[in-house]
Amino acid sequence: MSNRRVEDRPGGSEQSPRYRPAARVLLLDPSDRLLLFRVNLRDRPLWITPGGGLEGDESFEEAARRELYEETGITSDLGPCVWVRRHVFEFQGVWLDEVERFFIVRLDAAAEVTRANWLAHEHTFMTDHRWWLADEIASSNDYFAPRLLSRLLPPLLAGDYPGEPIDAGV
C-alpha cells in the first residue's frame, strides 16, 4: 500500500467519491492456490488480492509490482492484465471510486509471505492471509472481492487468459 494513508488525501465524500486507480495481483502458487488477504470491513470476513492505489505517475504494472513486494515480500514478473473492475466504497472514512486492473503472477516455487514492508495501518486492516484453492472459494460463506472471483478464477487456472481484460464486476 502507499506510504500515504487514504485519509491523508483530499476529497472522497459519498456524493463525490475520490477517483483512485489501483493495481491488484492474482498471485498463484505451484498448486494453483490464490493468495488472499482477510480484511476487517464487514460482519463476515472479506478476502482481497494483494494490491493498492497507484502512486504519482506510476503505471498499473509498476504499481502491481510494488504492491506485490510491499504486501508479500515477493518479487516476480507480471503476467497479463486479465480483469478490470470499478467499484465505489468507503475506506478509512473516505469514499473511493476505484478502478482496478488485475495482473496474473504465477510462482514457480512456494513462497513465504512476509509482513515486513507493511505500514502500521495495514497490520490493523489486513488481519490474515491464506492460500485458497478455487473450490474452497466457491464453497466458502466468506465475502470475496471481486464478487465473481469463484467463477472467474477457474479459466485462469487452466491457462485460459482473455485476449483483452474482462470486467470482473464489483
Side-chain angles (χ1 to χ4, degrees), residues 94-108:
V94 176
W95 281 89
L96 301 172
D97 179 0
E98 186 158 287
V99 175
E100 301 171 331
R101 293 187 189 178
F102 289 79
F103 295 88
I104 290 280
V105 172
R106 282 196 165 269
L107 299 175
D108 294 329

Side-chain angles (χ1 to χ4, degrees), residues 1 5 9 16 19 42 60 63-64 78 84 86 114 153-154:
M1 305 267 298
R5 295 170 54 157
R9 298 176 190 160
S16 181
Y19 172 70
R42 300 181 184 261
F60 283 93
L78 291 182
V84 293
R86 181 177 184 185
T114 178
L153 185 58

Side-chain angles (χ1 to χ4, degrees), residues 26 77 111:
L26 298 163
D77 292 332

